Amino acid sequence: MSAIVLSGRELAAQLRAQATTVGCELRSRGIAPALAVVTATADEAAAAYVRSIVRAAKRMEIDCAVHDLGPSATAADLRNRLIKLSLDPDIHGIVLQAPVPPGVSAVDVAAAIDPAKDVDGANPTSLGRLAAGSSAFAPATAEAVMVLLDHYGIPLSGRHVTVVGRSTVVGKPVAHLLLARHATVTICHSRTADLAAHTREADVIVVAAGQPGLVTGAHVKPGSCVIDVGTNSDGAGGIVGDVEAETVEAVAGALSPVPGGVGPVTATLLVEHAIRAASSAADGRS
Ligand code: NDP
């Protein structure tokens, strides 16, 4: 058996086209959707991700400014910038890029982002609202997983989904989104005693651990669907996921590739969220 490839590229193009149309309509009403990305790291993977957001914004014809505060920025520096951007009526979406400098709590700092502009669901208020089933922007990566599953018609209601990873950025929010869709969700992490026992029971596996090759064919039930969120450097300028693709695609029914799976959808959704935030702000004013 060879797994179906769940490509995110074509889906990202569709999402881009739809959101760009909405952005054009807003501009025709005199509103220019604008996104701000605040970064304070020298991490190369983070820099590559920020470049992909800037590229997506450009393709979707919205303004995107990168505020690079440098790796020695303090919590106060970050908080002050996030407050300033939250108060700026010309900014509609704010992203706090991870990682933040050592000793700074990303969650504490992200609390300074106005939830209405929190397009990557980083403010703990947004995560709380997500958990409570109330309206909030979900972290774009978690939403990208859901959008990819829906695009390929993967059923979730009543299905068993195992999520590998419990971060605030991916694992926990995707678990909440899956629960809201009536999946039965198991969350695994680095202390899980027997990972394969949990993944082999799953109809869908979402892997977000940051560990290349963590999930192999031996972890997968035949015919199941595997979403690989991992983006790890391959040491040669490219990226690899958390899944050992050669062995998993021989067993799984469907697999999202890295690169070209969740990644392109994530950057597109971030920009789409900013356009949506601009639209909500405009409706609130009119
Ligand atoms: P974190 O490092 O914050 O979290 C990793 C999670 O994986 C933790 O919960 C950790 O457990 C768990 N974990 C680590 N090792 C194991 C293991 N051996 N077995 C089971 N669980 C394990 O990472 P993120 O959630 O931020 O990111 C995860 C991956 O997704 C990374 O590769 C990242 O680059 C990628 N990513 C991709 C994005 C995209 O758009 N495609 C966007 C964001 C992230 P514990 O809690 O016990 O430490």
Side-chain angles (χ1 to χ4, degrees):
M1 176 157 61
S2 188
I4 295 166
V5 179
L6 305 180
S7 166
R9 294 214 164 103
E10 178 204 324
L11 169 58
Q14 279 178 26
L15 294 169
R16 254 195 321 269
Q18 286 159 7
T20 306
T21 306
V22 177
C24 283
E25 280 165 13
L26 281 170
R27 269 196 307 282
S28 70
R29 290 162 56 194
I31 299 141
L35 179 65
V37 182
V38 177
T39 175
T41 176
D43 182 85
E44 186 37 47
Y49 182 54
V50 170
R51 285 196 294 275
S52 77
I53 298 170
V54 172
R55 252 193 330 269
K58 197 168 174 196
R59 290 169 91 169
M60 293 161 81
E61 300 168 38
I62 87 156
D63 293 336
C64 179
V66 178
H67 298 247
D68 187 355
L69 307 192
S72 52
T74 63
D77 295 335
L78 283 161
R79 208 176 286 118
N80 289 340
R81 185 62 60 101
L82 294 171
I83 290 170
K84 195 168 170 217
L85 291 166
S86 292
L87 293 171
D88 184 340
D90 293 331
I91 298 292
H92 305 98
I94 303 168
V95 176
L96 172 62
Q97 179 59 44
V100 293
V104 175
S105 158
V107 172
D108 288 350
V109 168
I113 304 173
D114 177 352
K117 301 184 180 187
D118 186 22
V119 291
D120 204 16
N123 186 324
T125 300
S126 303
L127 190 62
R129 285 184 184 165
L130 200 68
S134 141
S135 165
F137 286 115
T141 308
E143 189 176 331
V145 170
M146 304 302 292
V147 171
L148 195 62
L149 287 166
D150 284 345
H151 180 70
Y152 285 96
I154 310 292
L156 294 171
S157 180
R159 298 301 179 100
H160 186 175
V161 183
T162 295
V163 177
V164 185
R166 58 175 166 180
S167 74
T168 315
V169 179
V170 194
K172 281 178 192 150
V174 86
H176 286 302
L177 292 170
L178 289 161
L179 278 174
R181 297 287 300 279
H182 313 296
T184 300
V185 182
T186 299
I187 306 178
C188 299
H189 45 78
S190 66
R191 314 282 177 91
T192 297
D194 185 353
L195 180 65
H198 296 287
T199 53
R200 269 202 304 264
E201 290 204 337
D203 303 303
V204 177
I205 307 172
V206 178
V207 195
Q211 302 289 328
L214 176 66
V215 169
T216 69
H219 290 78
V220 175
K221 179 167 81 173
S224 59
C225 169
V226 182
I227 304 292
D228 189 354
V229 182
T231 48
N232 312 293
S233 166
D234 66 0
I239 57 163
V240 289
D242 289 347
V243 163
E244 190 180 78
E246 315 80 79
T247 55
V248 168
E249 64 194 7
V251 184
L255 170 65
S256 72
V258 177
V262 174
V265 182
T266 301
T268 306
L269 281 176
L270 262 184
V271 181
E272 190 265 343
H273 285 179
I275 293 171
R276 219 178 330 141
S279 184
S280 300
D283 290 347
R285 274 201 295 270
S286 60

